């Protein structure tokens, strides 16, 4: 076992989240152990406790706990990254929508968690090594999609690009477009949902709910593109803020039209017969981001198989919508 280390954050690493920085400093240590370090105060930033999502500044001093020996790490194999299979690597490479020296944009499949965590052994973050030559730096995540949401996901090739993109998301210099199939018809057919949301953890895990007193403000613009006789509607949604599960709560609680397959927020009302696959019908359709070298990059992801099947069953021609 190594001893305690105190490391200085470099200019290249400035702007990174503390938990991601720790993953680079402690290779082989699983996500669960890093979270334990943070939860128990074993990690200190400039002498004080810090949360996983704190952004680091150049020159800050970070206390890193002793690294476990090989035997201890072996016992933590459940949280260690899995070896990437050839089929997973090929599948991920086939989902690249855009690639250049600074960025990679992929079409994330439905059902794949973006990062590891409790009960999530297979995750996108571990698979990203498949997108670069052996020994090259793994691309960095700069934003998130829910496990059950498909669509465009932006990756940075370097820490400097990650900082550029993180600022763009934080400063709302990006534009994200989602498609959803919802149960019912929004009234009015287009508009804006403005609602304060609060994240809580209970018997059924983490959940977000409206809370005018303690919640944080969230806004989503929406418009109805098409539908099927009031039974289901096809929506385009543009989140203007970026809270956890924002679109899902806005559809279910804000408009009374839960996303098809979203039992977490819509209960049984989110399911309609046996025609449609029982999974979330929410897709990150397009994104526009300022490119580090100038200009705006726009990427579009085709709908996933289960949404294509739903469109076909409803007689919807989606191909003319950008």
């Amino acid at each position: 076992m190594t001893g305690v280390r105190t490391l200085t954050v470099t200019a290249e690493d400035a702007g990174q989240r503390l938990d991601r920085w720790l993953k680079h400093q402690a290779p082989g240590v699983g996500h669960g152990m890093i979270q334990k370090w943070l939860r128990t105060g074993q990690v200190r930033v400039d002498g004080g406790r810090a949360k996983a999502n704190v952004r680091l500044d150049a020159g800050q001093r970070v206390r890193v706990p002793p690294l476990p020996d090989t035997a201890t790490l072996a016992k933590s194999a459940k949280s260690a990254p899995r070896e990437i299979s050839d089929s997973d690597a090929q599948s991920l490479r086939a989902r690249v929508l855009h690639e250049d020296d600074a960025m990679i944009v992929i079409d994330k499949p439905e059902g794949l968690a973006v990062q590891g965590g409790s009960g999530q052994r297979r995750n996108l973050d571990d698979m990203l090594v498949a997108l670069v030559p052996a020994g090259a730096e793994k691309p960095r995540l700069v934003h998130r999609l829910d496990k059950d949401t498909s669509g465009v996901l932006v990756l940075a090739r370097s820490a400097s690009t990650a900082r550029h993109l993180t600022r763009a998301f934080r400063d709302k210099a990006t534009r994200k477009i989602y498609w959803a199939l919802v149960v019912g018809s929004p009234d009015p057919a287009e508009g804006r949902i403005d609602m304060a949301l609060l994240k809580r953890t209970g018997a059924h895990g983490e959940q977000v709910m409206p809370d005018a007193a303690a919640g944080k403000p969230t806004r989503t613009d929406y418009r109805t593109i098409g539908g099927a006789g009031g039974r289901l509607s096809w929506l385009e949604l543009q989140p203007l803020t970026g809270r956890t599960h924002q679109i899902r709560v806005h559809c279910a609680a804000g408009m009374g039209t839960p996303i098809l397959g979203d039992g977490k927020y819509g209960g049984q009302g989110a399911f309609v017969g046996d025609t449609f696959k029982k999974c979330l019908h929410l897709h990150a359709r397009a994104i526009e981001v300022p490119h580090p070298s100038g200009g705006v990059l726009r990427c579009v992801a085709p709908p996933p198989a289960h949404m294509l099947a739903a469109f076909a069953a409803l007689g919807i021609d989606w191909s003319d919508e950008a």
Side-chain angles (χ1 to χ4, degrees):
M1 181 176 288
T2 66
V4 172
R5 296 177 296 161
T6 299
L7 306 177
T8 301
V9 179
T10 65
E12 182 69 12
D13 287 335
Q16 284 192 57
R17 281 173 54 120
L18 175 58
D19 54 353
R20 292 180 210 155
W21 182 86
L22 286 167
K23 287 182 70 173
H24 288 287
Q25 306 304 321
V29 174
H31 177 79
M33 186 174 291
I34 287 176
Q35 293 302 312
K36 182 179 179 180
W37 284 352
L38 292 164
R39 189 171 60 251
T40 57
Q42 296 181 64
V43 173
R44 300 273 170 160
V45 177
D46 287 341
R49 295 177 70 138
K51 294 184 178 180
N53 63 354
V54 70
R55 300 284 175 178
L56 296 172
D57 293 325
Q60 285 187 308
R61 303 276 287 169
V62 182
R63 178 193 187 275
V64 180
L67 300 183
D69 55 29
T70 303
T72 304
L73 285 174
K75 293 178 183 178
S76 302
K78 289 184 179 179
S79 60
R82 274 182 166 181
E83 185 176 346
I84 309 304
S85 69
D86 289 341
S87 61
D88 275 348
Q90 291 173 12
S91 175
L92 187 60
R93 284 194 289 266
R95 287 181 166 274
V96 173
L97 300 171
H98 171 85
E99 185 173 9
D100 59 37
D101 291 342
M103 299 165 54
I104 301 174
V105 183
I106 66 168
D107 176 13
K108 187 193 86 68
E110 172 268 333
L112 179 64
V114 171
Q115 282 191 305
S118 178
Q120 301 290 347
R121 291 201 63 197
R122 184 173 179 271
N123 66 84
L124 176 66
D125 195 27
D126 287 346
M127 296 166 62
L128 292 180
V129 293
L131 299 179
V132 293
E137 183 179 7
K138 186 178 75 172
R140 300 165 187 243
L141 296 162
V142 293
H143 68 121
R144 300 287 185 274
L145 291 176
D146 290 348
K147 175 183 175 181
D148 297 321
T149 302
S150 58
V152 286
L153 187 72
V154 179
L155 310 167
R157 285 188 175 274
S158 67
S160 59
T161 298
R163 290 194 296 274
H164 169 88
L165 293 171
T166 298
R167 283 195 300 271
F169 281 102
R170 184 187 62 217
D171 297 343
K172 299 179 177 58
T174 63
R175 182 170 180 256
K176 295 180 282 186
I177 299 295
Y178 287 76
W179 281 0
L181 282 171
V182 301
V183 181
S185 300
D187 184 16
E190 62 180 275
R192 173 175 294 179
I193 302 298
D194 196 333
M195 179 180 288
L197 300 180
L198 182 66
K199 185 190 300 183
R200 290 177 178 165
T201 302
H204 301 290
E206 182 180 271
Q207 196 156 9
V208 177
M209 57 194 64
D211 190 318
K216 295 181 178 180
T218 62
R219 296 182 304 282
T220 300
D221 285 344
Y222 72 93
R223 72 180 180 97
T224 303
I225 305 174
R231 183 183 182 210
L232 293 169
S233 299
W234 170 26
L235 304 186
E236 177 188 273
L237 303 118
Q238 181 179 344
L240 306 179
T241 51
R243 304 295 180 191
T244 301
H245 297 174
Q246 172 178 318
I247 290 177
R248 296 168 67 177
V249 180
H250 281 183
C251 287
M255 293 187 284
T257 56
I259 297 174
L260 182 63
D262 191 5
K264 184 179 183 76
Y265 290 104
Q268 287 303 309
F271 300 95
V272 178
D274 298 322
T275 303
F276 308 103
K277 185 177 179 182
K278 289 180 170 54
C279 64
L280 188 68
H281 286 64
L282 177 63
H283 177 62
R285 171 63 170 166
I287 196 166
E288 296 175 3
V289 294
H291 197 279
S293 62
V296 175
L297 174 68
R298 185 174 193 269
C299 289
V300 179
H306 66 281
M307 288 187 72
L308 289 175
F311 285 145
L314 296 169
I316 289 175
D317 180 7
W318 60 273
S319 58
D320 289 337
E321 287 289 331

